[in-house]
Amino acid sequence: MISKKLEKAINKQINEELFSAYLYTSMQAWFADESLDGMANWMKAQAQEEHYHAMKFFDYLIERGGKVELHAIAKPDIDFGNPLKAFQASLDHERYITKCINEMMDLAIAENDHATRIFLQWYVEEQVEEEASVDTIVQRLSRVGDNMHGIYMLDRELASRTFTWPQEEE
Ligand code: FEO
């Protein structure tokens, strides 16, 4: 049985991950409106991945005898300025999520909950990847500047991203 403190922290994180999905869906809409369909596609895949992150916490909490409690999801921004600012906002958000995961890990250690610690390890590694992939795009957009040809090249590249819901182990 999971502790009440960890139950509360996981419920909060489910909300953070669902908000992430909502934020990236808002970015998808913004990119689509800017006719940058490849970047819109990248955000769509990112939103789907965030939903997976939320449901992984959801399933784990139930498995550990906790109670899932869903809260209201905040309204995300709707205007992101330009592609660089949008991806920079995404990077800032991922850094914030990394901080949330690290705080949960601190709590799991303090509560002596080894199962949760091992479970959270997946998210610790995932956040390294999440930050690195967005950071690469931010760096490339910074170099490209206002050059529309460079932006369209990157847009075409990001059109190939897909997300496949991973098979859960039984
Ligand atoms: Fe679920 Fe992008 O962190």
Side-chain angles (χ1 to χ4, degrees):
M1 186 89 187
I2 200 153
S3 76
K4 282 288 163 199
K5 269 190 194 171
L6 275 167
E7 180 186 75
K8 194 173 168 195
I10 291 174
N11 273 316
K12 178 178 172 291
Q13 194 59 30
I14 290 172
N15 188 270
E16 299 282 8
E17 301 289 348
L18 290 175
F19 173 75
S20 304
Y22 217 35
L23 173 64
Y24 291 127
T25 303
S26 188
M27 289 183 179
Q28 177 192 346
W30 184 81
F31 277 117
D33 198 46
E34 295 287 309
S35 300
L36 289 166
D37 293 344
M39 294 187 191
N41 172 71
W42 192 95
M43 289 297 170
K44 180 182 177 182
Q46 186 68 14
Q48 289 167 338
E49 192 170 317
E50 298 300 350
H51 189 242
Y52 171 69
H53 291 172
M55 295 313 290
K56 197 172 165 76
F57 275 118
F58 181 105
D59 291 341
Y60 177 74
L61 187 53
I62 291 172
E63 196 178 4
R64 290 292 311 280
K67 190 174 186 316
V68 169
E69 221 178 285
L70 296 180
H71 298 279
I73 301 170
K75 183 180 189 295
D77 284 343
I78 53 169
D79 185 359
F80 298 96
N82 61 43
L84 175 59
K85 283 184 183 164
F87 276 96
Q88 184 61 56
S90 163
L91 181 57
D92 292 345
H93 182 69
E94 288 307 326
R95 286 176 176 157
Y96 165 72
I97 294 293
T98 299
K99 184 171 158 282
C100 295
I101 299 290
N102 287 341
E103 284 170 3
M104 287 180 76
M105 183 62 105
D106 290 344
L107 183 60
I109 291 166
E111 298 271 302
N112 246 330
D113 187 334
H114 298 295
T116 300
R117 187 178 53 73
I118 291 164
F119 171 74
L120 287 173
Q121 189 65 40
W122 183 88
Y123 286 90
V124 170
E125 288 164 17
E126 178 72 5
Q127 281 311 117
V128 173
E129 272 178 43
E130 293 264 288
E131 284 192 30
S133 67
V134 186
D135 194 34
T136 301
I137 298 170
V138 167
Q139 297 304 324
R140 289 182 62 182
L141 282 170
S142 301
R143 256 179 265 136
V144 158
D146 292 333
N147 179 329
M148 282 316 288
H149 179 68
I151 290 173
Y152 286 132
M153 291 268 288
L154 185 57
D155 186 64
R156 203 179 312 153
E157 206 179 299
L158 297 184
S160 63
R161 182 180 180 190
T162 55
F163 175 73
T164 314
W165 198 278
Q167 292 292 322
E168 295 291 345
E169 289 163 23
E170 288 300 322

